[in-house]
Amino acid sequence: MRAPNETFSYPYPHPAVTTDVVVFTIRDGRLSILLVERANPPFAGNWALPGGFLDIGEDLDACAARELEEETGISGLYLEQLYTFGATHRDPRERVISVTYYALVPLDALATPRAASDAAAVGWHAFDALPPLAFDHAEIVQMAHRRLVAKLDYSTIAFGFMPKTFTLSELQGVYEILLHQALDKRNFRKRMLSLDLVEETGKLRRNGKHRPAREYRVKHPERVEIIK
Amino acid sequence: MRAPNETFSYPYPHPAVTTDVVVFTIRDGRLSILLVERANPPFAGNWALPGGFLDIGEDLDACAARELEEETGISGLYLEQLYTFGATHRDPRERVISVTYYALVPLDALATPRAASDAAAVGWHAFDALPPLAFDHAEIVQMAHRRLVAKLDYSTIAFGFMPKTFTLSELQGVYEILLHQALDKRNFRKRMLSLDLVEETGKLRRNGKHRPAREYRVKHPERVEIIK
DNA sequence: CCAAAAGTGTTCACCGTACACCCATGA
DNA sequence: TCATGGGTGTACGGTGAACACTTTTGG
């Protein structure tokens, strides 16, 4: 074993550690992620995931949340650690270990992100039409997407995309976008209601020249992420 | 965004990065993990997970595999990244980020591990009777165990415990130990055979004064970890 | 009254579960 | 011949999938 055994610190070179966050949302009926355009080399002019270096006294989760908040102005999101990428030459400057996270932004919380000082631009990009990404970020995005879709089956992660109140049709739309297929309305409603995770607010949602939809909310927001 | 933007390297303090591995096996009918007894402070005399510092030019996976091989003399195991732990004071000496992995050792590969220079001892411990662990390693072990049990449902991870050839009763025994419950023999066999992942070797296994058991092997070892 | 989305039940196939007895061997 | 673990089939209930029409509103 080569566990820590010096009295103070490990006398060999330390890698840099960053967090990068894949921020998903649904915009205009398409799954989208948040990207920043890099202002500086390497990969200047390329799009990349929001993220940055870990402060030496900062928890990993806090770092990811801070980076996310700095980019989008949104906090309190569902944020989950995804995977840690550490290939030796993933960053040409120095050895960088990236602890990656993913987050879901509810449909109604789409604050227009503001570009930070070291980014040329920041914006949402449809998942199925992403520009070339810097570093190994394309790989990170692919893994986040696989995780997201896999969790649809056995968790209630899709609620992370829902605003405080929503209709069952909106919820079904989210599933259909994520699964890339149409779902049967009756089966979908039966399944959702049997989970006993949503309740009617009692209000109706008028959305056009047709029958109004019942409005729902999540019953126990703190339990939403618990695996079925 | 606070992504890398210096020409060379990030001018703030870097944390140390380690990998730690939860090595599972089944010994004497009990789920067990491999621990080393620390020879040096901090936590001298306590048991800890095998692991150690990342070499600056080494991939994360390679580091975990190397540490594991150094401890057990076994290589080529199923090894999967688990989670990255980075609480600010998890190591009293300096800031340490631990990228954790877990591995499964087949029943027949139980080489007696040999203690490395900086460990007082190394050995297997039953999962339900673990000694107090150094650092946050108890938390790491708990997470690894939850992952292992969860994957039983939707993957074929249990085959990671099986030697090259095995009987269906042995396989069932592994599931029963991991799930902590007895399984119906007929249903278990029906399910396993329907997965079409194992095939008979044609040989019989004589194990006592009773009917010999058919010997099986995994059909496509490279596909064993693919999610159902 | 027409267009558009909301809302509602039943049938069927499949799968997981429960359950009991005979078989082959060694002592 | 007996003790021991190996090996086999069927019946039932629950769950997921397929499927079409009525309701309510705005224009």
Side-chain angles (χ1 to χ4, degrees), chain A residues 70-227:
Chain A
E70 286 176 10
E71 292 304 326
T72 65
I74 304 168
S75 56
L77 291 186
Y78 174 71
L79 192 71
E80 184 177 296
Q81 191 180 306
L82 173 66
Y83 197 77
T84 297
F85 292 81
T88 48
H89 297 102
R90 55 182 297 280
D91 188 312
R93 293 164 298 179
E94 64 170 327
R95 185 74 196 280
V96 176
I97 309 298
S98 175
V99 183
T100 65
Y101 287 76
Y102 68 99
L104 310 186
V105 176
L107 301 181
D108 65 342
L110 287 182
T112 305
R114 206 164 36 90
S117 57
D118 57 353
V122 55
W124 296 101
H125 294 253
F127 175 78
D128 52 12
L130 292 179
L133 299 184
F135 306 105
D136 52 0
H137 289 189
E139 193 185 344
I140 297 171
V141 168
Q142 288 307 320
M143 186 177 290
H145 183 249
R146 279 201 304 275
R147 176 83 62 95
L148 175 61
V149 172
K151 291 201 93 169
L152 278 187
D153 264 353
Y154 61 88
S155 83
T156 50
I157 193 173
F159 286 100
F161 286 113
M162 305 315 291
K164 289 215 170 47
T165 66
F166 50 87
T167 69
L168 290 184
S169 293
E170 286 167 355
L171 183 60
Q172 181 175 345
V174 167
Y175 272 88
E176 290 180 335
I177 288 164
L178 294 173
L179 294 173
H180 243 267
Q181 62 174 340
L183 300 176
D184 181 85
K185 204 200 308 186
R186 284 162 293 187
N187 293 336
F188 180 81
R189 285 162 183 252
K190 214 184 315 168
R191 183 154 40 94
M192 280 303 142
L193 296 175
S194 75
L195 293 177
D196 198 35
L197 284 169
V198 298
E199 60 187 359
E200 298 186 31
T201 65
K203 293 181 182 170
L204 292 179
R205 191 75 73 83
R206 279 180 194 76
N207 256 337
K209 54 167 188 168
H210 53 79
R211 178 172 177 173
R214 294 184 193 169
E215 194 178 78
Y216 289 82
R217 63 171 156 250
V218 172
K219 222 168 173 176
H220 304 287
E222 72 284 359
R223 281 182 41 215
V224 152
E225 254 317 302
I226 294 175
I227 290 174

Side-chain angles (χ1 to χ4, degrees), chain A residues 1-10 13-18 36 38 40-42 48-61 66-67 70-71 81 83-88 91 93-95 97 99 101 116-119 135 154, chain B residues 1-10 13-18 36 38 40-42 48-61 66-67 70-71 81 83-88 91 93-95 97 99 101 116-119 135 154:
Chain A
M1 138 149 175
R2 294 182 54 259
N5 60 6
E6 288 73 26
T7 307
F8 267 100
S9 83
Y10 182 64
H14 289 22
V17 172
T18 64
V36 298
R38 292 179 57 79
N40 304 302
L49 295 172
F53 288 100
L54 175 71
D55 288 347
I56 199 69
E58 180 183 46
D59 280 344
L60 286 171
D61 294 357
R66 172 176 59 77
E67 297 290 349
E70 286 176 10
E71 292 304 326
Q81 191 180 306
Y83 197 77
T84 297
F85 292 81
T88 48
D91 188 312
R93 293 164 298 179
E94 64 170 327
R95 185 74 196 280
I97 309 298
V99 183
Y101 287 76
S117 57
D118 57 353
F135 306 105
Y154 61 88
Chain B
M1 139 146 174
R2 296 181 55 259
N5 60 4
E6 287 73 26
T7 307
F8 266 100
S9 83
Y10 181 63
H14 288 23
V17 173
T18 64
V36 298
R38 291 179 58 78
N40 303 303
L49 295 172
F53 288 100
L54 176 72
D55 288 347
I56 200 69
E58 180 182 46
D59 279 344
L60 285 172
D61 294 356
R66 173 177 58 78
E67 297 290 347
E70 287 176 8
E71 293 303 326
Q81 191 181 304
Y83 197 78
T84 297
F85 292 80
T88 48
D91 189 311
R93 294 163 298 180
E94 62 170 330
R95 185 73 196 280
I97 308 299
V99 183
Y101 287 77
S117 56
D118 58 354
F135 305 106
Y154 63 89

Side-chain angles (χ1 to χ4, degrees), chain B residues 65-115:
Chain B
R66 173 177 58 78
E67 297 290 347
L68 174 58
E69 208 265 333
E70 287 176 8
E71 293 303 326
T72 66
I74 304 167
S75 56
L77 290 187
Y78 173 70
L79 192 70
E80 184 176 296
Q81 191 181 304
L82 174 65
Y83 197 78
T84 297
F85 292 80
T88 48
H89 296 104
R90 55 182 296 280
D91 189 311
R93 294 163 298 180
E94 62 170 330
R95 185 73 196 280
V96 176
I97 308 299
S98 175
V99 183
T100 65
Y101 287 77
Y102 69 98
L104 310 186
V105 176
L107 300 181
D108 66 343
L110 287 183
T112 305
R114 207 165 35 88

